[in-house]
Structures are given as structure tokens and as C-alpha cells.
């Protein structure tokens, strides 16, 4: 089999001990060096302190790895030419011997193949603004509609079309619940301005839903646990609204379109909030990783 599961992760899955999958795109493409490696090691240590096993996922030399050692983490953080891989890219990357960091869709797929049920990330991809013109929708949504994994996230990035994304999640049959909140978070913000239909109050309640998914059968779809960044750590909402409006105007003025839009907007937010958006991003990721470890423990009975 092409998939390489580390001995630590394999032993934990076989013994039904808690495991948390972590994506690698934040390491290779989301943070500057050397901060990226520091954060990668910090997130893995956060999982361990909570009593779970971290399973950071990436492709190295054409082999998908579930669970990286420190040397492999350093490669992802520092090696030039590390690609950004969605699930559609995996066969091409494997066949060509490429190395790459996994997005939400690729991480969820590989985690599921390795028997890892719980996955922590920052924010989901979703439906992009002006979808009726661009037809631009993240591959995350379609993959999660057919992959039985529990994704702990801080909602979707506020640069996206949040209500359209929520509607699309409903259409695809992907269960969404707020964690101790009846509002859908907006990644940098605790509240995107939109409600959720369901709220769960503890890791044990999340695990109960996961068991109910399995008992009911049906489509192998995901469970989204939308965990808001704490209000005291969110990006100031007024600053967010002002800078995002400026960024969208700059996109239009400079005729930035297609796949270039998202990285442009994210970079604009970091630069024009003096790094406050990055701080909120990291606060959200840390909180999601801690919660995911608790859910994994509740799910396995640890």
C-alpha cells in the first residue's frame, strides 16, 4: 500500500487510543519561517499534553505519510518546492514522486484511510464570493460530503461567502454543529453573523453524534464541529470589516481573479492588521487542536 502510517499512529489506532490528524499546509504555506516549524511542533505537543497522538499528514517523495517525525516536519517547513496538495492532486503527486503539504480535503481523505477519525484545522474552504460568476468552490466541501471524519474548525474564512457556504454544506448533507455556541464562527471572528441549527457542549456530546452517525449508516459524510475563537483573541470586528472591504476593493481595482484571490486577501489582512489576523488564526488553530484531542479521547473511551 502507498500510504505510510507511522508506527506511533498505527499502534494508537490499532489499540483504539486517541489520535488527532493535523494538516501540513499551515506549515509549508501558511506561516513564515522559522515560525512555521515552531508552530508545527507546538501543535503536536498540544495534542500530546491532552493525551492523544498527533498525526501530521504530508506527502514526501511521492509517499503519503500519516504521522511525521521531527526530521520530516523540518522538511515540510523548510524544503523549497513543497507543493500545496488537495485530494485531487494525490495520484499525480504519488506517481511523480512529488513532495507536498496537504490541504483540508487531502488531509481528511488520508486520515480516513489510516483509520483516524478526528481532524483539527484552522478554517474550512467554502464557496467564494461572486460564485455565480466564477463558479469557485473549495474542493473541501465535496470531499467532506463523502468522507466519514470529524473536522474541528473555526468555521470558514471570512473572505468567503459564508451564507452560501452554509447552504452548500446543507445541500451536501454535511452535519454542522457549533461548539458551545449557536452562531457559526468566522475564522478570525467568533461570530460570522450567521446561526447554526445545532450546538454541542462537550467532547462527549460530539462523540455521541459520531456514534450515531455510524449506527444510522447512510452516506459517509463528515461532521463539522465549528469552534469559535475566544472573543478576547479574535480579530477586532471593526478592523476586520474595514480591512476586508479595502482588500476586496483592491482585488477589483487590480483585476485579481480566480485562484489568486484567496492568497491575496489573506496576505492583505495580515499586512494591514499589523499581524493581528495571523494572531487570531493561530489562536483559533490552538483551540481547535485542544478540542479535537478531547473529542478523540471521548470517541475512543480514553
Amino acid at each position: 500500500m502507498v500510504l505510510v502510517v507511522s508506527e506511533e499512529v498505527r499502534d494508537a489506532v490499532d489499540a483504539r487510543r486517541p489520535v488527532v490528524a493535523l494538516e501540513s499546509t499551515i506549515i509549508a504555506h501558511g506561516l513564515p519561517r522559522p515560525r512555521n516549524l515552531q508552530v508545527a511542533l507546538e501543535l503536536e505537543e498540544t495534542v500530546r499534553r491532552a493525551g492523544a497522538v498527533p498525526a501530521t499528514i504530508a506527502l514526501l517523495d511521492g509517499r503519503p505519510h500519516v504521522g511525521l517525525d521531527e526530521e520530516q516536519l523540518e522538511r515540510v517547513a523548510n524544503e523549497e518546492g513543497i507543493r500545496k496538495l488537495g485530494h485531487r492532486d494525490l495520484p499525480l503527486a504519488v506517481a511523480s514522486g512529488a513532495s507536498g503539504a496537504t490541504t483540508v480535503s487531502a488531509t481528511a481523505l488520508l486520515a480516513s484511510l489510516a483509520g483516524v477519525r478526528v481532524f483539527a484545522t484552522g478554517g474550512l474552504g467554502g464557496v467564494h464570493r461572486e460564485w455565480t460568476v466564477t463558479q469557485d468552490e473549495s474542493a473541501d466541501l465535496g470531499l467532506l460530503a463523502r468522507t466519514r471524519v470529524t473536522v474541528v474548525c473555526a468555521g470558514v474564512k471570512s473572505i468567503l461567502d459564508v451564507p452560501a457556504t452554509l447552504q452548500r454544506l446543507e445541500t451536501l448533507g454535511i452535519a454542522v454543529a457549533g461548539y458551545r455556541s449557536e452562531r457559526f464562527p468566522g475564522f478570525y471572528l467568533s461570530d460570522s453573523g450567521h446561526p447554526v441549527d445545532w450546538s454541542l457542549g462537550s467532547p462527549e456530546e460530539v462523540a455521541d453524534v459520531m456514534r450515531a452517525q455510524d449506527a444510522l449508516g447512510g452516506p459517509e459524510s463528515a461532521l463539522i464541529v465549528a469552534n469559535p475563537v475566544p472573543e478576547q483573541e479574535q480579530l477586532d470586528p471593526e478592523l476586520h470589516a474595514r480591512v476586508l472591504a479595502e482588500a476586496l476593493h483592491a482585488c477589483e481595482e487590480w483585476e485579481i481573479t480566480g485562484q489568486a484571490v484567496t492568497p491575496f486577501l489573506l496576505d492583505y489582512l495580515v499586512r494591514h492588521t499589523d499581524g493581528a489576523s495571523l494572531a487570531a488564526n493561530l489562536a483559533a488553530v490552538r483551540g481547535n487542536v485542544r478540542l479535537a484531542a478531547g473529542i478523540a479521547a471521548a470517541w475512543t473511551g480514553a
Side-chain angles (χ1 to χ4, degrees), residues 53-271:
V53 172
T56 302
I57 296 177
L59 256 77
L60 296 172
D61 305 317
R63 302 295 299 278
H65 288 258
V66 178
L68 304 180
D69 60 28
E70 189 165 342
E71 182 179 340
Q72 290 168 329
L73 280 173
E74 289 176 359
R75 279 193 65 185
V76 175
N78 297 320
E79 190 173 292
E80 297 295 335
I82 292 286
R83 300 183 65 129
K84 184 176 180 180
L85 304 175
H87 72 279
R88 71 165 191 167
D89 303 307
L90 294 177
L92 296 159
V94 168
S96 63
S99 295
T102 52
T103 65
V104 166
S105 68
T107 304
L109 176 59
L110 294 173
S112 178
L113 292 174
V116 179
R117 184 68 176 266
V118 181
F119 165 33
T121 186
L124 290 183
V127 177
H128 288 242
R129 293 169 187 257
E130 299 186 354
W131 181 88
T132 54
V133 175
T134 65
Q135 301 287 292
D136 193 353
E137 175 187 313
S138 171
D140 295 353
L141 304 185
L143 188 281
L144 293 176
R146 56 183 187 273
T147 305
R148 182 57 55 80
V149 65
T150 295
V151 183
V152 183
C153 65
V156 299
K157 293 179 177 66
S158 49
I159 61 174
L160 301 173
D161 187 328
V162 177
T165 300
L166 286 168
Q167 182 61 56
R168 188 71 177 131
L169 287 166
E170 179 182 346
T171 300
L172 291 170
I174 301 170
V176 178
Y179 187 73
R180 296 180 179 172
S181 175
E182 296 181 353
R183 310 294 295 176
F184 190 70
F187 191 57
Y188 304 116
L189 304 176
S190 300
D191 183 356
S192 69
H194 301 277
V196 289
D197 294 328
W198 298 92
S199 177
L200 300 170
S202 69
E204 290 73 23
E205 289 185 10
V206 178
D208 286 343
V209 175
M210 294 163 65
R211 295 185 187 101
Q213 281 184 309
D214 292 347
L216 287 166
E220 291 288 310
S221 56
L223 169 63
I224 305 300
V225 180
N227 182 37
V229 63
E231 285 190 16
Q232 65 272 20
E233 295 184 282
Q234 71 174 340
L235 183 60
D236 177 75
E238 292 185 4
L239 175 63
H240 171 272
R242 176 175 59 79
V243 174
L244 180 57
E246 292 171 357
L248 292 169
H249 178 73
C251 250
E252 183 177 349
E253 184 178 0
W254 298 341
E255 298 183 349
I256 296 170
T257 59
Q259 292 184 339
V261 171
T262 294
F264 172 82
L265 292 177
L266 294 176
D267 179 66
Y268 193 101
L269 281 167
V270 171
R271 289 186 291 108

Side-chain angles (χ1 to χ4, degrees), residues 281-293:
N281 180 352
L282 290 176
V285 173
R286 291 183 182 109
N288 295 340
V289 167
R290 287 191 295 270
L291 176 56

